[in-house]
Amino acid sequence: MTDENRKSLQQFYCRDYLWDLFEVMTKDLGCSVDYLINESMRYYARSRNYSMTSGQEGSSQQAGAPRQGGQAARRPPPLPQTESSTIEPQRAAAARPTLSLLFNGQRFRIDKDKFIIGRGSQQTDLTIRDGNISRKHCAVIYRGGNYFIKDLDSTNGIEFNGQRVERKRIEEGDTFYLCDYELRFTFR
């Protein structure tokens, strides 16, 4: 089994205008050209139905994927679920509990049904300017009288108690990590 996060130096020819465009994007998005190229390659592989799950290293591909030269891109194994796979629909509920997010010494009040956290400043309620954070990394969602944190198909995911989670109901004092960034929630 190979490490999906292992990186090695590769060489390729690139059209000059594309390289120039990616350099502009790195400044606008606050990330590296390497990061953009890796994300572009991952996106292109997925758009062509190339993927590799943990049991398929080496020669297999996802069923129905076209067979072409080279090795297929790898997709991380499915993530463990800590809550049911669906968030129950919103019910007519009593007064909404007040939830606050403590981040970098600041308190952010969550007072909307969907509070987006990510790198993209125009699309998020809390912006974290780091190339390891996805543009729309995760969301805090209010449904059925409860708050949930939900991964929005981010590259590096959400960690809770040392495990990667896709979604979890938020309880008093829960602490989540997006890469090295700590998100602590409180109802007080």
Side-chain angles (χ1 to χ4, degrees), residues 7-187:
K7 297 178 183 176
S8 58
L9 179 63
Q10 305 293 327
Q11 293 181 341
F12 66 98
Y13 290 100
C14 177
R15 290 184 175 94
D16 290 340
Y17 82 91
L18 286 174
W19 189 263
D20 294 341
L21 179 61
F22 269 46
E23 286 182 328
V24 169
M25 290 172 66
T26 62
K27 292 179 182 101
D28 291 346
L29 300 173
C31 61
S32 68
V33 172
D34 293 343
Y35 175 80
L36 287 177
I37 290 170
N38 277 278
E39 288 303 297
S40 299
M41 292 172 73
R42 182 189 342 269
Y43 176 80
Y44 185 78
R46 284 181 182 166
S47 74
R48 297 293 182 168
N49 294 323
Y50 280 86
S51 67
M52 192 168 286
T53 57
S54 58
Q56 296 177 310
E57 270 89 33
S59 60
S60 302
Q61 290 178 317
Q62 180 180 0
R67 275 256 187 241
Q68 296 177 353
Q71 186 171 340
R74 294 177 6 125
R75 178 176 287 161
L79 303 174
Q81 298 288 321
T82 58
E83 289 290 321
S84 65
S85 59
T86 60
I87 297 175
E88 63 186 63
Q90 185 171 2
R91 297 181 199 138
R96 178 187 297 216
T98 301
L99 178 66
S100 293
L101 164 60
L102 305 175
F103 174 75
N104 271 357
Q106 293 182 323
R107 179 181 286 260
F108 297 87
R109 184 174 175 180
I110 312 284
D111 57 1
K112 43 196 303 196
D113 289 341
K114 192 171 188 180
F115 183 91
I116 306 291
I117 301 167
R119 187 183 73 240
S121 59
Q122 295 176 354
Q123 305 164 342
T124 59
D125 298 295
L126 171 60
T127 302
I128 303 173
R129 301 291 290 173
D130 185 315
N132 293 313
I133 302 296
S134 295
R135 259 178 259 144
K136 288 185 177 180
H137 199 98
C138 66
V140 175
I141 300 170
Y142 182 73
R143 292 283 185 274
N146 293 298
Y147 286 95
F148 297 84
I149 190 164
K150 182 179 184 309
D151 185 34
L152 298 177
D153 295 322
S154 67
T155 303
N156 293 314
I158 303 167
E159 189 177 303
F160 177 74
N161 285 343
Q163 297 231 324
R164 190 166 171 170
V165 295
E166 250 185 74
R167 72 179 50 82
K168 182 193 176 302
R169 189 176 63 166
I170 297 173
E171 312 264 346
E172 173 59 40
D174 276 354
T175 301
F176 298 89
Y177 288 90
L178 310 184
C179 301
D180 294 328
Y181 298 96
E182 179 182 284
L183 306 176
R184 191 163 56 90
F185 292 92
T186 184
F187 291 96

